[in-house]
Amino acid sequence: MGLIQPTPSLADMIQAVRNAGSSHEEFFGYPVREDGLHLQQDPTEYASFVHFMATEVPAADLTLEIGIASGGQTKFLRDYWHARRTMVLDIGQHQVFPQWKRIKQSLNSDLILEIIDDSHSPKVREQLLPHAGKVDFAFVDGDHSYRGLKQDIFLTKELLRPGGLMVLHDTAAVGDCKKVFDELLFSSDFALLRNFQYRFGISVWKMIRVKRMPNAFNRMTGWGRI
Ligand SMILES: C[S@@+](CC[C@H](N)C(=O)[O-])C[C@H]1O[C@@H](n2cnc3c(N)ncnc32)[C@H](O)[C@@H]1O
């Protein structure tokens, strides 16, 4: 694992995101770089989030990413914030997913588990359960449907340690994700720590307690209180 980059100013962090390259110039507003990170993030919003992580969140031991696409976000964050170990989970069908094979070579973290499968499959949960209650940080950006995202949150809830952080993407831009965001505001187990909302919405939630552990019905259907 390499050294963590010194935290730049927010303006320089925004430039670093732009330099890393998006996966679609017209949609994201900055160029695609073939040998870049193929990010699916808004530069100002994402740079603000990474700056927050680098300056306000202590180093993590165990982290999880659900929905990595190219894995560019997984890499960029870990260049500025120390995550000792990383697990990734993606169904592997995104057009930029083939980039992950290259990008993971320079991941600044020990990649201890890589699951290329549907996050809602019971056998995926079985693979992750040995880490239940031990995950410090989870970035959840996979299925964007209401039930699919809630299934991912139920899974994340089993894996996070109390006090661990869960980050959701698109909680401002995608109707179903916004609906889940609104529900989470009433959760007794998660508290909104920060909300970076310039375009897509990156919300950071702290799991303050586990009063309500997900059951089989929650996991299978995506229904029920978080
Ligand atoms: C919006 S992209 C993720 C973008 C990425 N986090 C970034 O910031 O660049 C969503 C990803 O989730 C994956 N995905 C969607 N549904 C999934 C599921 N049920 N299980 C696992 N991965 C899923 C897609 O294949 C895609 O790679």
PDB file of all heavy atoms in Angstrom, residues 54-66:
ATOM      1  N   ALA A  54     -11.004  13.046   4.189  1.00  0.00           N
ATOM      2  CA  ALA A  54      -9.567  13.185   4.445  1.00  0.00           C
ATOM      3  C   ALA A  54      -9.277  14.032   5.682  1.00  0.00           C
ATOM      4  O   ALA A  54      -8.275  13.808   6.370  1.00  0.00           O
ATOM      5  CB  ALA A  54      -8.892  13.799   3.214  1.00  0.00           C
ATOM      6  N   THR A  55     -10.145  14.987   5.953  1.00  0.00           N
ATOM      7  CA  THR A  55      -9.839  15.916   7.046  1.00  0.00           C
ATOM      8  C   THR A  55     -10.614  15.621   8.331  1.00  0.00           C
ATOM      9  O   THR A  55     -10.195  16.021   9.409  1.00  0.00           O
ATOM     10  CB  THR A  55     -10.136  17.381   6.630  1.00  0.00           C
ATOM     11  OG1 THR A  55     -11.486  17.450   6.146  1.00  0.00           O
ATOM     12  CG2 THR A  55      -9.181  17.854   5.548  1.00  0.00           C
ATOM     13  N   GLU A  56     -11.746  14.914   8.219  1.00  0.00           N
ATOM     14  CA  GLU A  56     -12.580  14.757   9.426  1.00  0.00           C
ATOM     15  C   GLU A  56     -12.861  13.322   9.855  1.00  0.00           C
ATOM     16  O   GLU A  56     -13.370  13.097  10.948  1.00  0.00           O
ATOM     17  CB  GLU A  56     -13.917  15.493   9.233  1.00  0.00           C
ATOM     18  CG  GLU A  56     -13.725  16.998   9.125  1.00  0.00           C
ATOM     19  CD  GLU A  56     -15.040  17.745   9.083  1.00  0.00           C
ATOM     20  OE1 GLU A  56     -15.953  17.387   9.834  1.00  0.00           O
ATOM     21  OE2 GLU A  56     -15.130  18.686   8.271  1.00  0.00           O
ATOM     22  N   VAL A  57     -12.548  12.360   8.996  1.00  0.00           N
ATOM     23  CA  VAL A  57     -12.885  10.970   9.350  1.00  0.00           C
ATOM     24  C   VAL A  57     -11.593  10.185   9.611  1.00  0.00           C
ATOM     25  O   VAL A  57     -10.699  10.161   8.760  1.00  0.00           O
ATOM     26  CB  VAL A  57     -13.722  10.305   8.221  1.00  0.00           C
ATOM     27  CG1 VAL A  57     -14.012   8.854   8.554  1.00  0.00           C
ATOM     28  CG2 VAL A  57     -15.025  11.073   8.010  1.00  0.00           C
ATOM     29  N   PRO A  58     -11.489   9.569  10.784  1.00  0.00           N
ATOM     30  CA  PRO A  58     -10.276   8.810  11.088  1.00  0.00           C
ATOM     31  C   PRO A  58     -10.052   7.658  10.104  1.00  0.00           C
ATOM     32  O   PRO A  58     -11.007   7.189   9.468  1.00  0.00           O
ATOM     33  CB  PRO A  58     -10.538   8.241  12.500  1.00  0.00           C
ATOM     34  CG  PRO A  58     -11.705   8.981  13.034  1.00  0.00           C
ATOM     35  CD  PRO A  58     -12.474   9.531  11.880  1.00  0.00           C
ATOM     36  N   ALA A  59      -8.831   7.214  10.009  1.00  0.00           N
ATOM     37  CA  ALA A  59      -8.491   6.079   9.152  1.00  0.00           C
ATOM     38  C   ALA A  59      -9.384   4.889   9.499  1.00  0.00           C
ATOM     39  O   ALA A  59      -9.793   4.725  10.645  1.00  0.00           O
ATOM     40  CB  ALA A  59      -7.031   5.709   9.366  1.00  0.00           C
ATOM     41  N   ALA A  60      -9.671   4.076   8.481  1.00  0.00           N
ATOM     42  CA  ALA A  60     -10.540   2.912   8.698  1.00  0.00           C
ATOM     43  C   ALA A  60      -9.740   1.630   8.541  1.00  0.00           C
ATOM     44  O   ALA A  60      -8.781   1.577   7.766  1.00  0.00           O
ATOM     45  CB  ALA A  60     -11.680   2.930   7.688  1.00  0.00           C
ATOM     46  N   ASP A  61     -10.175   0.612   9.259  1.00  0.00           N
ATOM     47  CA  ASP A  61      -9.535  -0.695   9.084  1.00  0.00           C
ATOM     48  C   ASP A  61     -10.210  -1.461   7.949  1.00  0.00           C
ATOM     49  O   ASP A  61      -9.570  -1.878   6.998  1.00  0.00           O
ATOM     50  CB  ASP A  61      -9.630  -1.481  10.403  1.00  0.00           C
ATOM     51  CG  ASP A  61      -9.074  -2.881  10.221  1.00  0.00           C
ATOM     52  OD1 ASP A  61      -8.082  -3.029   9.477  1.00  0.00           O
ATOM     53  OD2 ASP A  61      -9.646  -3.836  10.794  1.00  0.00           O
ATOM     54  N   LEU A  62     -11.542  -1.604   8.027  1.00  0.00           N
ATOM     55  CA  LEU A  62     -12.242  -2.447   7.056  1.00  0.00           C
ATOM     56  C   LEU A  62     -13.341  -1.649   6.347  1.00  0.00           C
ATOM     57  O   LEU A  62     -14.189  -1.028   6.997  1.00  0.00           O
ATOM     58  CB  LEU A  62     -12.858  -3.648   7.795  1.00  0.00           C
ATOM     59  CG  LEU A  62     -13.550  -4.691   6.942  1.00  0.00           C
ATOM     60  CD1 LEU A  62     -12.615  -5.286   5.878  1.00  0.00           C
ATOM     61  CD2 LEU A  62     -14.100  -5.816   7.822  1.00  0.00           C
ATOM     62  N   THR A  63     -13.315  -1.673   5.020  1.00  0.00           N
ATOM     63  CA  THR A  63     -14.270  -0.882   4.238  1.00  0.00           C
ATOM     64  C   THR A  63     -14.925  -1.742   3.157  1.00  0.00           C
ATOM     65  O   THR A  63     -14.365  -2.764   2.741  1.00  0.00           O
ATOM     66  CB  THR A  63     -13.573   0.328   3.572  1.00  0.00           C
ATOM     67  OG1 THR A  63     -12.594  -0.157   2.631  1.00  0.00           O
ATOM     68  CG2 THR A  63     -12.885   1.217   4.587  1.00  0.00           C
ATOM     69  N   LEU A  64     -16.091  -1.286   2.715  1.00  0.00           N
ATOM     70  CA  LEU A  64     -16.874  -2.028   1.716  1.00  0.00           C
ATOM     71  C   LEU A  64     -17.404  -1.060   0.679  1.00  0.00           C
ATOM     72  O   LEU A  64     -17.816   0.051   1.016  1.00  0.00           O
ATOM     73  CB  LEU A  64     -18.058  -2.715   2.433  1.00  0.00           C
ATOM     74  CG  LEU A  64     -19.155  -3.322   1.558  1.00  0.00           C
ATOM     75  CD1 LEU A  64     -18.645  -4.567   0.821  1.00  0.00           C
ATOM     76  CD2 LEU A  64     -20.381  -3.685   2.414  1.00  0.00           C
ATOM     77  N   GLU A  65     -17.403  -1.497  -0.575  1.00  0.00           N
ATOM     78  CA  GLU A  65     -17.994  -0.701  -1.659  1.00  0.00           C
ATOM     79  C   GLU A  65     -19.008  -1.575  -2.378  1.00  0.00           C
ATOM     80  O   GLU A  65     -18.656  -2.652  -2.883  1.00  0.00           O
ATOM     81  CB  GLU A  65     -16.918  -0.270  -2.661  1.00  0.00           C
ATOM     82  CG  GLU A  65     -15.816   0.565  -2.058  1.00  0.00           C
ATOM     83  CD  GLU A  65     -15.929   2.052  -2.397  1.00  0.00           C
ATOM     84  OE1 GLU A  65     -16.544   2.378  -3.426  1.00  0.00           O
ATOM     85  OE2 GLU A  65     -15.381   2.871  -1.638  1.00  0.00           O
ATOM     86  N   ILE A  66     -20.253  -1.121  -2.447  1.00  0.00           N
ATOM     87  CA  ILE A  66     -21.282  -1.848  -3.201  1.00  0.00           C
ATOM     88  C   ILE A  66     -21.609  -1.017  -4.441  1.00  0.00           C
ATOM     89  O   ILE A  66     -22.111   0.097  -4.329  1.00  0.00           O
ATOM     90  CB  ILE A  66     -22.561  -2.078  -2.361  1.00  0.00           C
ATOM     91  CG1 ILE A  66     -22.239  -2.833  -1.071  1.00  0.00           C
ATOM     92  CG2 ILE A  66     -23.606  -2.824  -3.188  1.00  0.00           C
ATOM     93  CD1 ILE A  66     -23.461  -3.114  -0.179  1.00  0.00           C
TER      94      ILE A  66
END
